[in-house]
Amino acid sequence: MFSKKRINLGSAGWFLLPYLLVYFIFFFLPALSIVPMSFTEWSIVGTPKFVGFENYKSIFNDRYFPKTLSNTFVYTILVTLILTILGLLLAILLNQKVRGRGVARTIVIMPYVISSAVAGIIWRWMFERNFGIINTYLQQLGLPFIGWLSDPNIALYSIVIMNIWWSIGFNTVTFLAALQGIPEELYQAAQVDGASSFQSFLYITIPQLKPIILYVTVLCAANSFQMFDEAYVMTQGGPLGSTTTLVYKSYIEAFKSFRLGYSAALSVITCAIIIIITLIQMKANKRSDA
Amino acid sequence: MKKKKLSLVFTYALLFLVTAYYLVPILVMVSTSLKPQGQVLSRTWEWIPRTFTVENYQYVLQQYPYLKWTTNSLIVTLGTVVLTLIVSLPAGYAFARLKMRGKNILFSMVMLTIMIPFFAYTPQLYLLITKMGLKNTYWGLILPMSTSGVSVFLFKQFIQQLPLDLEEAAVLDGCSNWGVFFKVILPLTKPAIVTSVIFTAVKSWNNLLWPLIASSNDAVKTLPVGLSVNVFQVETGLANQPPYGIVMAAALLSIILPVLLFIFLQRYFVQGIATTGLK
Amino acid sequence: MLKKYRMLALLLAFSLVFAACSTASETAETADTASTEVEVPAEKTTIVFWNGVGAPENVVLTELVKEYNETNQDNVYVEEVILDWSTLYSKILLDFETGTPPDIMTIQQSGLYQNVDLGILADLTSFMPEYGFAKEDFIESAWNGSFIGDKQYAVPFDLHPLALYYNVGLFEEAGLDPANPPATMEEFLNAAQTLTKDTNGDGTTDQYGLGLAYSGGLPFRLWMSLLWQHEGAEILSADNTAAAFNTDAGLESLEFLYDLVYTYNVIPEQEQSPDDDFMKGIVGMVISGPWSQFDFNSVEDLEYATAPLPVFYDQEAAWADSHMLALPDTKDEARMAAAMSFARFLSDNSLIWTQKAGHLPVKLSVLESNEFAELEKAQAFAVTLPNAHYYPSIKNESLVFGRDSNSPFVVLMESTLLNSMTPQEALNEVETMVNELLGQ
């Protein structure tokens, strides 16, 4: 087999150097500081005050923390599943050789290009309970108003709906690109062997796409676990804390309440959970390779 | 034959439904932007404006240095995209193909960029940038945004699954690592490069938090900052309701360039372009 | 590789074309970019001014900045930076820490204590008389509000209390007299109930008397106003160390708002955007500050008027906040002097601020002027001024009086107005929360 032994450390180093340079200066050093900061109390001005595990204790004693945690997990699982599956299906759909697919692709991508703030404003407006667009049409159909963003039991799911509209472009583009990398010959050979399109999908497309599927799910999970923009623009974490996520709370603590130590502790917890989730996904991916 | 026609119809129908779902909110935006402020909030929603007007667009373009903001955004986005490609492509290749000690540890560190919320270290980053004298400069906006491991990760995954034959052939021909990289890997990675360009560009174009903190001066103000601070307050639905007509006009204006970029790039997603190199 | 360059080249071409097309519109620009294009003579003292009042009012200040730069005799040049409140409050801390704060900035009365406590702001007590600011010239509450302890830290600029907005057209339609807006509890209830009806006969109510959101800042500010209308009632104890609102007064006020939604049904349930609903004609009245006038004025066929907040209980009272001008403590005497001159100019021109931005003036001379009397809609707010209440001044104001879903008073209103807790339960819960926060 192809031996890579002849490549030495120095060589790989040159390839990595540009990235690592930017990385260390503008990410690693600032980002690492959130760990020591989580053990302090700091309001940006003045020196941080060491408080040991106080912040962590406060977080776990906060009566709203379990809800925040569950919100975050529910949201992440839903969004990751839906966006991955839907993204892949959409990419396949948009990959079909039909006329107008260029237009269709552009339309599906367009929401992704809109900033989260504007997307949030549009949807908040459409989701308005009293005489917003969606509810107005529901009323005309004889159905009752739905409190999309004002019903504590529904608000989080409404954000999922909005997020699917907004972010699916990312997944679709990624899968589309990956689909291009699958050699046409494989499908042709399968067709000759009498495989149905569903079988082709299962036995050719999916295996070929595995690295990219992993990429998409890891990113999706990491991103949705850090959901913030939508909650900030549409619901401010409400109603009744039903759309407060870990990152949302962390942001508020940092930039509205100026408790940076507490906020850093929340970020550390968030990061730790994401690391665990990612590791699980990567392990599962390796396992299925065998 | 019948089966083929049925699946074609099915495909078209699905395509139509999907695009309808995605189009509706955009149509809402367009319709609102063409209504005069006084008619935006009518009791019943009107798809077709009672009075067509471009006054919202005129307002946005004339009242504010909209084009200056757009230019700033362009410069920053271009810079970020280029820098990201320059640093991420070799790194992705290294992680995918090259052997070195501690590679996995390094890669995990790269992945950290995806796992730590950006604002968590914004204050420290801001203090650092200020000390380096990069506050209110383009570089101050570009450099911190080029650390994302998203592209590195993408390139790693993509390159990993490329067939090894071509690389073997090149090495047997006496190509160095960099030779393999430039002559073999890069052409094959085109779809991934295009993908990376798209999402790096979009993320940079819409980036609000960092430019808001790091460069609020008029000189380098980017579009999202200008819009959110000067034009409408997106903050929260508290005291001020945003002037919807103007908001939608501003938003539509701001997505023209990214959409154009995508239209231009999406034709690269044509089957077979990645495999032509094999022949 | 070549293809990649081609992409970049095309992108560059696009941007050049775009920029070229812009020259026509650039000349039509207003003062916004003046600060980066004007030549500054060397002898002038340049100061940086942070304009954080937010859109759309910020353009009024920008115009004033431009006028100052063109006409002032103090040899000062003001460089304006436009921000929103959120960014301003975070950035001021960051920039102070790095030693690069602005020389003068807008600030809200509610944000004063916190920033003074962190040592950010300069003590202006001795400056004020030097630049002609005297207690007699100002409304008492605004003047006092600029003090922390016995030191003065800001120049009061405006005051914005809550008042009642009502739809004249809907009033007339319902048989109510627009010239006599509700001024008491009974009148208010009567008006609200009369306005609540089914306008198209389909069996469902589609017009309501009052618009009130369940979350955000406004609901709890209204509740506080009602609380303060009870004689002797306070939000916090006299030394600001404990909650004092879990009393009969607090309960009565909260139950009233609850009843408006669930007993009298004059407020739509789960309402999110009362201002929008007012503009659409869905609700006949809404309680808000002067800032809403901008939006309301832009709607065709909306004829509205303003009235002081009705007296529901024993006395007049309404929540208010103020814009003020503060100087970060740079210890640079020359620049602080320049900043005070600029502040003097802004204060002298506060009538323009009132006329164009709608916020109430705090200078008695302006309040008593003819020009101010001409501002019809502002009169209702002016009546309220002597009884305007600020939040108690506390160190962690942003924690205790925050406006996001996890903040105590938002929890209070959300739980009540969304019917997930009874008013008493909500008060108990929030009392605990506030005491915890105050104890830190």
Side-chain angles (χ1 to χ4, degrees):
Chain A
M1 253 293 0
F2 183 41
S3 160
K4 301 178 193 160
K5 277 283 161 67
R6 59 177 205 75
I7 297 142
N8 55 35
L9 175 66
S11 172
W14 281 113
F15 281 92
L16 289 171
L17 191 64
Y19 178 76
L20 289 179
L21 208 62
V22 191
Y23 173 87
F24 266 101
I25 301 177
F26 295 101
F27 171 78
F28 197 65
L29 292 176
L32 210 59
S33 65
I34 67 172
V35 177
M37 195 158 62
S38 68
F39 296 108
T40 68
E41 212 176 79
W42 191 46
S43 296
I44 303 184
V45 175
T47 42
K49 184 175 111 181
F50 183 74
V51 293
F53 281 97
E54 274 311 305
N55 290 327
Y56 290 98
K57 271 197 235 157
S58 298
I59 292 176
F60 287 110
N61 285 332
D62 177 9
R63 79 199 81 191
Y64 295 108
F65 184 63
K67 180 113 183 78
T68 304
L69 210 55
S70 84
N71 288 343
T72 315
F73 270 105
V74 167
Y75 180 80
T76 302
I77 294 173
L78 270 179
V79 169
T80 305
L81 275 176
I82 298 178
L83 278 185
T84 306
I85 299 176
L86 208 59
L88 181 56
L89 292 177
L90 261 183
I92 293 179
L93 181 65
L94 292 173
N95 205 28
Q96 303 299 310
K97 289 187 181 58
V98 289
R99 248 196 305 204
R101 73 173 176 176
V103 174
R105 286 175 180 183
T106 309
I107 289 179
V108 171
I109 294 316
M110 270 218 285
Y112 175 61
V113 172
I114 299 174
S115 73
S116 61
V118 174
I121 291 181
I122 300 175
W123 279 91
R124 186 181 75 195
W125 194 23
M126 297 199 307
F127 275 145
E128 182 95 24
R129 183 182 182 271
N130 301 319
F131 311 106
I133 298 174
I134 300 181
N135 276 352
T136 307
Y137 281 115
L138 280 181
Q139 195 193 33
Q140 284 177 2
L141 291 173
L143 299 166
F145 279 167
I146 299 183
W148 298 99
L149 294 177
S150 52
D151 184 335
N153 298 320
I154 299 184
L156 192 63
Y157 302 102
S158 302
I159 297 189
V160 172
I161 294 177
M162 173 265 182
N163 195 278
I164 294 175
W165 180 83
W166 180 48
S167 336
I168 202 159
F170 178 81
N171 289 8
T172 311
V173 167
T174 309
F175 280 129
L176 257 180
L179 285 173
Q180 310 314 320
I182 305 181
E184 185 88 44
E185 298 90 63
L186 289 175
Y187 290 110
Q188 288 164 349
Q191 242 183 359
V192 164
D193 280 350
S196 71
S197 39
F198 184 63
Q199 282 171 317
S200 296
F201 175 71
L202 262 189
Y203 296 113
I204 301 178
T205 315
I206 303 263
Q208 285 281 316
L209 287 182
K210 273 195 52 188
I212 293 295
I213 293 182
L214 177 68
Y215 172 76
V216 167
T217 56
V218 164
L219 274 185
C220 241
N223 276 333
S224 48
F225 202 77
Q226 294 176 55
M227 188 271 269
F228 163 71
D229 295 40
E230 294 89 324
Y232 189 67
V233 178
M234 298 206 288
T235 57
Q236 296 86 59
L240 300 175
S242 59
T243 58
T244 300
T245 54
L246 284 171
V247 171
Y248 178 82
K249 181 95 174 105
S250 183
Y251 180 88
I252 297 289
E253 290 292 338
F255 292 113
K256 300 277 183 181
S257 311
F258 300 114
R259 297 201 292 184
L260 273 89
Y262 188 93
S263 170
L266 275 170
S267 294
V268 168
I269 295 177
T270 307
C271 184
I273 298 180
I274 297 181
I275 292 179
I276 296 176
I277 296 179
T278 308
L279 282 175
I280 294 178
Q281 290 182 65
M282 294 197 143
K283 273 254 152 66
N285 188 57
K286 272 218 175 74
R287 193 85 59 80
S288 69
D289 269 340
Chain B
M1 271 302 105
K2 200 169 180 197
K3 194 175 173 191
K4 203 164 187 185
K5 203 164 182 198
L6 209 60
S7 75
L8 203 67
V9 169
F10 181 65
T11 308
Y12 269 113
L14 216 57
L15 217 57
F16 179 73
L17 277 170
V18 163
T19 51
Y21 169 54
Y22 282 96
L23 212 47
V24 165
I26 297 181
L27 290 176
V28 168
M29 279 176 78
V30 173
S31 172
T32 308
S33 70
L34 292 170
K35 293 179 182 168
Q37 266 300 101
Q39 289 177 16
V40 165
L41 282 174
S42 64
R43 208 193 158 102
T44 46
W45 168 253
E46 296 161 352
W47 284 105
I48 316 280
R50 244 181 296 153
T51 330
F52 271 97
T53 172
V54 291
E55 69 187 31
N56 292 325
Y57 291 93
Q58 282 175 326
Y59 182 82
V60 173
L61 287 173
Q62 286 170 358
Q63 269 296 107
Y64 303 99
Y66 196 87
L67 285 144
K68 178 154 214 274
W69 295 339
T70 307
T71 316
N72 284 337
S73 273
L74 264 174
I75 296 176
V76 173
T77 299
L78 219 58
T80 309
V81 167
V82 170
L83 187 59
T84 302
L85 285 176
I86 292 177
V87 302
S88 302
L89 272 168
Y93 175 61
F95 283 119
R97 289 285 192 248
L98 306 183
K99 260 193 166 46
M100 69 181 267
R101 261 178 306 145
K103 189 168 80 163
N104 282 335
I105 298 178
L106 267 179
F107 187 68
S108 323
M109 283 166 58
V110 171
M111 292 295 280
L112 271 180
T113 58
I114 306 171
M115 302 182 194
I116 300 183
F118 176 72
F119 74 89
Y121 59 95
T122 299
Q124 293 83 335
L125 186 62
Y126 183 77
L127 297 175
L128 175 71
I129 294 282
T130 309
K131 285 207 191 93
M132 291 172 77
L134 291 177
K135 191 167 82 160
N136 289 323
T137 64
Y138 289 122
W139 281 113
L141 294 177
I142 294 175
L143 285 163
M145 292 299 115
S146 308
T147 62
S148 170
V150 172
S151 292
V152 176
F153 187 18
L154 175 68
F155 292 136
K156 169 178 176 283
Q157 298 300 92
F158 199 86
I159 295 176
Q160 225 166 25
Q161 51 136 331
L162 290 178
L164 289 164
D165 338 7
L166 275 180
E167 290 166 69
E168 292 183 10
V171 168
L172 287 173
D173 273 353
C175 245
S176 68
N177 275 336
W178 283 101
V180 173
F181 177 68
F182 278 111
K183 294 201 191 121
V184 178
I185 300 293
L186 272 191
L188 290 177
T189 324
K190 260 196 283 276
I193 292 180
V194 170
T195 309
S196 168
V197 167
I198 292 176
F199 60 66
T200 309
V202 169
K203 183 165 163 219
S204 172
W205 187 259
N206 287 328
N207 196 12
L208 178 59
L209 178 58
W210 178 243
L212 187 59
I213 291 273
S215 59
S216 297
N217 279 18
D218 281 339
V220 289
K221 202 172 241 180
T222 58
L223 192 55
V225 176
L227 287 180
S228 100
V229 166
N230 291 54
V231 181
F232 56 88
Q233 274 186 264
V234 160
E235 272 248 296
T236 45
L238 301 176
N240 285 6
Q241 308 287 26
Y244 291 109
I246 297 177
V247 167
M248 299 303 162
L252 282 170
L253 282 174
S254 70
I255 67 171
I256 292 180
L257 282 180
V259 168
L260 279 177
L261 173 68
F262 178 74
I263 293 178
F264 176 69
L265 289 177
Q266 71 92 17
R267 60 193 182 79
Y268 279 88
F269 292 153
V270 171
Q271 186 101 37
I273 202 171
T275 57
T276 47
L278 275 174
K279 299 177 183 141
Chain C
M1 273 286 269
L2 275 145
K3 283 239 168 90
K4 192 165 80 167
Y5 286 139
R6 197 163 67 149
M7 274 192 267
L8 290 176
L10 266 155
L11 271 176
L12 216 65
F14 269 125
S15 49
L16 283 173
V17 167
F18 218 48
C21 291
S22 79
T23 46
S25 333
E26 289 238 23
T27 51
E29 276 170 21
T30 57
D32 212 7
T33 52
S35 57
T36 54
E37 291 161 9
V38 174
E39 301 277 309
V40 184
E43 333 79 61
K44 286 204 176 188
T45 316
T46 306
I47 56 172
V48 176
F49 166 56
W50 279 9
N51 173 354
V53 295
E57 300 103 272
N58 52 25
V59 293
V60 182
L61 281 185
T62 307
E63 280 168 20
L64 285 174
V65 167
K66 184 167 177 219
E67 194 188 321
Y68 182 71
N69 282 335
E70 285 168 2
T71 62
N72 83 83
Q73 307 287 335
D74 313 305
N75 243 344
V76 177
Y77 179 75
V78 175
E79 194 185 307
E80 183 191 34
V81 176
I82 299 182
L83 301 163
D84 59 89
W85 285 120
S86 225
T87 312
L88 184 143
Y89 283 124
S90 319
K91 214 163 137 88
I92 186 63
L93 301 179
L94 287 167
D95 279 358
F96 190 78
E97 185 73 357
T98 57
T100 55
D103 297 289
I104 180 172
M105 64 187 217
T106 56
I107 195 170
Q108 294 163 310
Q109 197 284 333
S110 49
L112 200 60
Y113 195 109
Q114 199 152 21
N115 282 288
V116 170
D117 191 64
L118 288 170
I120 311 254
L121 301 180
D123 176 3
L124 301 178
T125 322
S126 53
F127 271 107
M128 298 294 269
E130 232 179 275
Y131 286 86
F133 294 109
K135 181 175 171 154
E136 311 77 68
D137 301 330
F138 288 86
I139 298 178
E140 198 179 331
S141 51
W143 184 260
N144 292 341
S146 62
F147 278 81
I148 305 289
D150 51 9
K151 300 210 181 108
Q152 196 167 18
Y153 287 95
V155 177
F157 190 55
D158 77 26
L159 225 163
H160 32 276
L162 293 179
L164 182 73
Y165 287 87
Y166 60 99
N167 186 325
V168 171
L170 291 183
F171 256 52
E172 286 170 351
E173 210 178 32
L176 298 162
D177 181 9
N180 280 318
T184 65
M185 167 86 85
E186 295 78 48
E187 289 174 21
F188 180 79
L189 273 176
N190 178 48
Q193 286 173 307
T194 318
L195 285 167
T196 304
K197 49 174 138 163
D198 170 9
T199 56
N200 55 8
D202 65 350
T204 54
T205 316
D206 42 34
Q207 184 177 296
Y208 290 84
L210 178 72
L212 183 67
Y214 61 81
S215 92
L218 216 119
F220 73 79
R221 291 167 180 175
L222 177 59
W223 168 75
M224 285 182 179
S225 306
L226 296 179
L227 179 77
W228 283 318
Q229 284 189 355
H230 291 81
E231 201 164 322
E234 284 302 336
I235 306 288
L236 301 177
S237 60
D239 55 0
N240 289 336
T241 55
F245 52 82
N246 193 356
T247 56
D248 289 337
L251 183 61
E252 189 178 35
S253 312
L254 196 58
E255 282 180 338
F256 175 62
L257 293 175
Y258 175 87
D259 286 338
L260 285 177
V261 181
Y262 293 103
T263 314
Y264 300 109
N265 300 310
V266 295
I267 297 180
E269 272 184 50
Q270 297 181 15
E271 181 164 40
Q272 291 162 254
S273 319
D275 277 12
D276 276 3
D277 289 342
F278 185 73
M279 289 192 270
K280 288 191 214 175
I282 297 175
V283 300
M285 298 187 281
V286 79
I287 293 173
S288 184
W291 54 78
S292 292
Q293 288 173 76
F294 262 106
D295 294 326
F296 296 171
N297 287 338
S298 71
V299 181
E300 298 175 3
D301 7 291
L302 173 65
E303 206 196 326
Y304 75 95
T306 54
L309 196 66
V311 181
F312 296 96
Y313 299 104
D314 313 322
Q315 59 195 13
E316 283 184 0
W319 172 90
D321 202 345
S322 259
H323 291 134
M324 303 193 167
L325 300 163
L327 273 61
D329 200 2
T330 57
K331 308 235 190 316
D332 181 332
E333 294 218 357
R335 290 160 72 121
M336 285 174 76
M340 285 303 288
S341 308
F342 176 57
R344 176 80 234 176
F345 172 80
L346 284 180
S347 180
D348 288 342
N349 285 284
S350 63
L351 175 65
I352 299 181
W353 176 244
T354 300
Q355 286 170 329
K356 295 194 182 166
H359 294 277
L360 275 291
V362 287
K363 288 173 65 167
L364 296 167
S365 56
V366 177
L367 275 171
E368 289 156 6
S369 68
N370 291 329
E371 294 92 326
F372 180 71
E374 285 170 16
L375 301 172
E376 215 182 286
K377 303 235 162 64
Q379 302 310 313
F381 295 97
V383 167
T384 317
L385 284 181
N387 302 302
H389 288 242
Y390 293 131
Y391 291 135
S393 269
I394 53 173
K395 190 169 91 167
N396 28 12
E397 178 270 338
S398 51
L399 253 186
V400 176
F401 299 115
R403 295 177 291 174
D404 91 295
S405 185
N406 303 292
S407 305
F409 292 103
V410 177
V411 171
L412 180 72
M413 300 311 294
E414 272 189 351
S415 319
T416 308
L417 295 177
L418 289 178
N419 208 6
S420 81
M421 280 197 225
T422 67
Q424 183 64 73
E425 283 170 354
L427 277 169
N428 294 340
E429 166 102 2
V430 175
E431 184 185 29
T432 318
M433 282 175 85
V434 171
N435 282 330
E436 263 172 37
L437 291 174
L438 289 175
Q440 291 172 359

